[in-house]
Amino acid sequence: MVEAMRQCYDNVTLDIHLCVDRPVRYIKPMADAGATRFIFQWEAMTGNSTLAAALDIAQEVNNNGMKCGVSINPSTPVEDILPLLESGLVDMVDVLAVEPGFGGQSFQDSALLKLRKLREWRASARVLSGNDMSHVKFMVDGGINTNTSSLVTEAGADIMVAGTFLFRHPRGLSQGVKELLDSSCSAK
């Protein structure tokens, strides 16, 4: 599917979020298919050191010519991934506001706290360490609608992933997109 999308749309960003175990198996195939960014699930890291495994995957993603992102479940503390972000190998954090697995779930407010903490981390990183982390973007995925879009924008989200709200919108996809943009822009 990634390869087919790339053939049809050569100028679009293809962010691929793989919520799978042993994601390293998919790095080269996704790069060969034309993915722009490979987002792996933090909780899929195995072995003695989650951080070491995540650093290895992030390095491999970069070595294969893609940007790298990391996704965290609602129960994972944002502090767990900060050393990975500070490595400079990852440029996106996908904060899941629902449990992975299926659409239509309700937004979990814990995502707002995570976004605020990430925003504070990004702002303080330059002051504390001299490292500019403004290139690291924060995405929120799950439970996005006109009510939650303004909340996540205020909390620090740069990108929203909206599935059920858009694809089941009674007036169609384009109207749903317009409503989300309107609600998130009013929050800025």
Side-chain angles (χ1 to χ4, degrees):
M1 179 182 286
V2 175
E3 185 175 6
M5 290 176 71
R6 177 56 67 211
Q7 289 173 358
C8 292
Y9 306 101
D10 62 344
N11 292 340
V12 299
T13 299
L14 293 178
D15 288 343
I16 310 302
H17 174 202
L18 295 176
C19 193
V20 298
D21 70 328
R22 296 174 289 145
V24 71
R25 300 175 294 160
Y26 299 97
I27 294 172
K28 182 160 177 29
M30 290 296 112
D32 291 346
T36 309
R37 181 177 289 109
F38 186 97
I39 303 170
F40 68 92
Q41 196 66 36
W42 175 261
E43 295 79 12
M45 300 300 93
T46 58
N48 293 335
S49 173
T50 301
L51 177 59
L55 287 166
D56 288 346
I57 286 180
Q59 185 64 61
E60 188 66 20
V61 168
N62 283 258
N63 290 347
N64 275 271
M66 294 181 290
K67 295 179 181 180
C68 187
V70 62
S71 182
I72 55 174
N73 285 344
S75 61
T76 300
V78 78
E79 292 81 7
D80 288 3
I81 64 165
L82 294 182
L84 175 64
L85 299 181
E86 290 164 358
S87 75
L89 296 170
V90 172
D91 73 343
M92 181 178 288
V93 178
D94 180 8
V95 175
L96 297 182
V98 297
E99 292 300 327
F102 59 94
Q105 297 179 62
S106 297
F107 181 87
Q108 293 186 30
D109 289 337
S110 62
L112 298 174
L113 179 59
K114 290 179 186 182
L115 288 165
R116 288 184 192 106
K117 286 181 177 181
L118 286 165
R119 182 183 62 199
E120 290 169 11
W121 167 82
R122 182 170 55 190
S124 67
R126 187 173 195 167
V127 174
L128 297 175
S129 67
N131 294 330
D132 182 8
M133 293 295 180
S134 62
H135 68 284
V136 179
K137 301 299 179 199
F138 308 135
M139 177 167 68
V140 64
D141 184 350
I144 298 298
N145 56 43
T146 52
N147 296 323
T148 58
S149 64
S150 59
L151 297 173
V152 300
T153 300
E154 289 171 354
D158 300 300
I159 301 163
M160 293 177 281
V161 177
T164 301
F165 176 80
L166 294 178
F167 292 107
R168 292 186 184 162
H169 196 283
R171 295 181 54 207
L173 185 65
S174 61
Q175 182 61 33
V177 170
K178 181 185 180 317
E179 290 175 16
L180 282 181
L181 288 172
D182 289 347
S183 65
S184 65
C185 288
S186 68
K188 289 185 175 183

